[in-house]
Amino acid sequence: MGWTGKILRVDLTGDRCGGEPLDKTWAEQFLGQRGLASKYLMESMDPAVDALDPGNVLIFATGPLTATMAPTAGRYSVVTKGALTGAIACSNSGGKVGAEIKLAGWDMVIFEGRSPKPVYLWIDDDRVELRDAGHLWGRSVWDVEPAIKAELGDPAIKVASIGRAGEKLVRFACVVNDLHRAAGRSGVGAVMGSKNLKAVAARGSSGVSVHDPGKFMAAVANAKGALQPHPVRQRFIKLGTHAMLDVTHNYGSLPTRNGRDVRFEGVDKLNASASQRSHGPNGTVNLITNKACFACTIACGRIARIDPDHFSIEDKPRYRTASGGLEYENVFALGAMVGVDDIDAVTFANFVCNEDGMDTISFGGALAAAMELYEEGGVTREQTGVDLSFGSAEGLVKTVEECARGEGFGAEVGLGAKRLTAKYGRPEFSMTVKGQEFPGYDPRAMQGMALAYATSNRGACHLRASPFASDFQTTELDGKAEIVKTTQDERAAMFDSAGICAFVAAAIDIDRIAAMLDGALESEWTADRIRETGERIWNLERLFNNAAGMSRADDTLPRRMLREPAPSGTAKGLVAQLDRMLPEYYEMRGWDEAGRPRGQTLGRLGLA
């Protein structure tokens, strides 16, 4: 109950698909989605294998609340060893495809090996087959999804696919579903491309049952009652995450021009207000409407358009349309991080990332590193083919297209910031942790986020911990380590493993989530059990990374963040004080000084 009790295992090398029972013991220990898939990953492969080797395993996983009536219960995760980082990767997405896989009767799909030719997986309840995708190879997400629906004769089919970036093994390629929702981080799309797997298409009619419908519905009603009137929900409906741009700019925590600055003078041309007012010769308004994922009453997604006379879409009719618009992370990464204040150029770059499956955060971070290389003489215009100075909208537009196709200097940017800067002899320009580019929070201004970035198992991430409230109040370190550790554990289980969205966190607390799980599943779930489950998941991921060759040396930040003080804002004159927080964090985790979980910790969590 809650779980379907079935796993689909796909042998891509041997062209075989077969179902097997869910390991209920593991499910009780790791819950679902991120946690349960990480357990299956650990047991199915050698963590030391290269991410692009056929020995890597790729898992599409749902949670026990996915496809139920729980608010925002449409999430799924893609779990693998990341092509960008070499660390464990869990990339979470909304939209509707996760719910469809669950409604077809599967808790997760495990892909092993590599197909000798391009294929896609078709799931029609219990009828599952690998189908030829040769005619889809070389085509973008925007082409593939409607083509599969037409081929199978059902417009209600849900599709997750890679674009050309995944085929070209761009290190930060992602998996896109519903045309512009993405399992975005760590290069999961490159792993999918390395397996010659173009797409997963699903149609489900099996439904999802829960253990105690009365208890579950009462818990859902309570959770929705808390969510509906909450001011955070109202703000997300009106502004999405876009409103955060003004917050970080004003605070001095907006990474700008590859982290050289923490405030962006062009913010008023890119913020939420700018997206809602007319601009350009045609008086175009960027934002058209918002959009919701499965079972969501928030609808934080944005639908936007580009001014029809903007240079980016000259002779490009496919972009004279409405599609996924600007949210905080993409407007930061494609705007402030590269110094571009042209909202249409930023929207165009976002469209291309959606169309061809690239993580906007990592693309922006990699391009920012390239721009700093360019300005410091590390690469020339002869090499780049375009002015790559900070602020160059033309450079942004040209490079994003080249990167998606794996051509020109865009192919170099597709290596990611860490590999790119190492190749050109300036590794200090890489604003990454474990090879993954920073999200939109400067760790000098946000000390809790500094620790969260450094210790995140998947590399720099703003969604693995929640020190936001503390960080926007003070730069003092007291309590930061505890906040980071506690929220890492809670988020691992509450959202990424249960199957709901983290954006309900302000209204739906851990007790309400425990009540929904308690109604959905046979065993008893409490807030304390959720926390322990999250701690178990976090330590399992750490064990995977240790086995992959990672250590304390990888729990660090770029030199700029540790040695170059913030130039302005609340944290002016400060650097990230990681050296003071990390030992305290390790002690709280029950890890030794080298960052390895102690035997006592593993025994307590059932991981020994």
Side-chain angles (χ1 to χ4, degrees):
M1 298 296 184
W3 301 297
T4 70
K6 293 194 305 178
I7 299 295
L8 176 60
R9 196 174 290 270
V10 180
D11 175 4
L12 291 166
T13 304
D15 191 21
R16 293 186 295 269
C17 306
E20 63 185 61
L22 173 71
D23 190 310
K24 284 293 186 70
T25 300
W26 291 356
E28 291 287 351
Q29 290 178 306
F30 297 97
L31 188 55
Q33 203 163 311
R34 173 181 165 188
L36 189 56
S38 295
K39 176 62 175 176
Y40 271 88
L41 186 74
M42 189 74 166
E43 299 297 332
S44 300
M45 65 172 286
D46 177 2
V49 164
D50 186 84
L52 300 180
D53 188 272
N56 194 7
V57 171
L58 179 76
I59 303 176
F60 280 53
T62 69
L65 296 183
T66 303
T68 69
M69 294 182 70
T72 73
R75 311 299 294 189
Y76 80 102
S77 290
V78 181
V79 178
T80 186
K81 182 175 182 177
L84 181 66
T85 60
I88 193 166
C90 172
S91 197
N92 190 294
S93 182
K96 298 178 173 63
V97 75
E100 205 71 26
I101 291 171
K102 182 81 173 286
L103 291 169
W106 305 100
D107 286 314
M108 68 175 68
V109 184
I110 302 174
F111 295 97
E112 299 173 322
R114 174 187 289 157
S115 174
K117 63 179 183 179
V119 294
Y120 74 89
L121 181 68
W122 166 224
I123 302 172
D124 183 13
D125 289 333
D126 287 334
R127 296 178 294 279
V128 180
E129 62 175 319
L130 286 167
R131 297 175 64 97
D132 180 72
H135 59 301
L136 302 174
W137 206 253
R139 302 177 69 183
S140 78
V141 167
W142 289 3
D143 293 328
V144 167
E145 183 166 325
I148 288 177
K149 291 178 177 180
E151 180 176 309
L152 297 174
D154 186 349
I157 288 169
K158 304 300 183 292
V159 179
S161 62
I162 58 170
R164 288 169 289 194
E167 297 175 8
K168 295 291 185 179
L169 306 183
V170 170
R171 287 287 175 166
F172 44 78
C174 61
V175 179
V176 177
N177 56 275
D178 302 281
L179 298 178
H180 49 80
R181 306 312 299 172
R185 306 232 66 194
S186 306
V188 296
V191 175
M192 193 163 161
S194 76
K195 294 183 175 299
N196 278 328
L197 177 64
K198 183 65 175 177
V200 175
R203 191 73 170 98
S205 61
S206 299
V208 176
S209 60
V210 295
H211 176 65
D212 188 329
K215 182 188 289 187
F216 179 71
M217 291 306 296
V220 167
N222 181 271
K224 288 183 175 179
L227 177 62
Q228 294 302 100
H230 200 280
V232 171
R233 173 180 174 267
Q234 302 302 322
R235 186 165 67 250
F236 274 143
I237 290 172
K238 183 179 180 182
L239 301 173
T241 61
H242 202 157
M244 184 59 74
L245 190 69
D246 285 322
V247 175
T248 54
H249 168 78
N250 292 334
Y251 192 72
S253 59
L254 174 60
T256 300
R257 288 179 284 271
N258 204 34
R260 286 176 168 180
D261 301 303
V262 292
R263 285 176 165 162
F264 183 43
E265 66 281 356
V267 70
D268 289 339
K269 297 180 181 180
L270 293 178
N271 61 12
S273 296
S275 74
Q276 297 182 29
R277 63 174 179 259
S278 61
H279 70 284
N282 298 285
T284 301
V285 176
N286 181 264
L287 178 65
I288 297 174
T289 187
N290 56 344
K291 184 177 182 180
C293 298
F294 179 90
C296 181
T297 61
I298 299 174
C300 72
R302 309 285 98 177
I303 301 298
R305 61 187 167 191
I306 300 169
D307 185 275
D309 289 332
H310 191 261
F311 81 90
S312 64
I313 59 172
E314 186 178 357
D315 300 323
K316 299 172 187 173
R318 74 186 287 112
Y319 297 109
R320 298 174 185 269
T321 185
S323 192
L326 299 181
E327 303 172 28
Y328 176 63
E329 292 298 338
N330 55 33
V331 77
F332 134 73
L334 306 173
M337 189 64 166
V338 296
V340 173
D341 62 8
D342 181 333
I343 196 169
D344 287 315
V346 173
T347 301
F348 174 81
N350 187 59
F351 278 10
V352 173
C353 286
N354 288 339
E355 182 191 11
D356 270 307
M358 294 191 295
D359 174 19
T360 54
I361 300 175
S362 281
F363 171 76
L367 179 59
M371 286 180 163
E372 188 159 8
L373 274 171
Y374 183 89
E375 292 201 345
E376 295 297 322
V379 293
T380 66
R381 182 160 185 155
E382 184 179 2
Q383 291 169 291
T384 64
V386 68
D387 177 16
L388 269 195
S389 302
F390 285 116
S392 172
E394 292 78 9
L396 170 65
V397 166
K398 183 176 190 294
T399 308
V400 74
E401 291 184 294
E402 287 187 344
C403 189
R405 298 191 300 263
E407 298 173 355
F409 192 73
E412 300 285 86
V413 174
L415 296 171
K418 181 179 179 179
R419 290 176 175 86
L420 171 70
T421 56
K423 181 174 181 177
Y424 288 94
R426 299 301 296 269
E428 70 273 19
F429 294 162
S430 172
M431 298 301 111
T432 61
V433 172
K434 300 179 177 72
Q436 182 155 279
E437 291 76 7
F438 281 7
Y441 304 92
D442 188 281
R444 293 166 294 190
M446 303 180 70
Q447 296 288 333
M449 195 60 75
L451 181 62
Y453 283 178
T455 59
S456 169
N457 289 322
R458 72 167 182 174
C461 180
H462 61 298
L463 293 174
R464 286 297 186 263
S466 187
F468 298 97
S470 171
D471 278 352
F472 282 126
Q473 290 173 354
T474 179
T475 57
E476 295 298 320
L477 303 185
D478 289 349
K480 299 285 190 187
E482 183 177 6
I483 290 169
V484 169
K485 189 266 183 191
T486 299
T487 57
Q488 283 174 340
D489 293 344
E490 290 180 352
R491 282 181 169 240
M494 285 199 303
F495 305 118
D496 293 345
S497 299
I500 60 176
C501 178
F503 285 178
V504 303
I508 302 178
D509 60 19
I510 192 169
D511 291 310
R512 289 187 170 96
I513 293 172
M516 289 189 287
L517 288 172
D518 196 49
L521 302 174
E522 296 176 24
S523 57
E524 181 182 2
W525 282 85
T526 62
D528 285 342
R529 184 177 179 186
I530 286 176
R531 293 187 183 99
E532 182 182 66
T533 300
E535 186 181 8
R536 183 177 298 113
I537 293 165
W538 195 269
N539 278 272
L540 176 70
E541 292 174 336
R542 185 72 178 193
L543 291 176
F544 184 99
N545 283 353
N546 288 161
M550 292 190 167
S551 66
R552 177 175 179 147
D554 297 287
D555 293 344
T556 190
L557 295 168
R559 185 171 70 182
R560 174 165 290 160
M561 300 299 134
L562 297 172
R563 298 185 187 179
E564 298 178 22
S568 63
T570 303
K572 183 178 180 179
L574 291 181
V575 296
Q577 299 177 70
L578 183 63
D579 58 337
R580 290 180 54 190
M581 294 182 285
L582 194 61
E584 181 184 2
Y585 172 87
Y586 279 6
E587 186 61 32
M588 287 180 176
R589 279 249 169 251
W591 296 353
D592 63 23
E593 293 182 356
R596 295 185 298 259
R598 292 190 172 102
Q600 183 179 8
T601 302
L602 297 178
R604 176 173 57 83
L605 296 171
L607 296 172

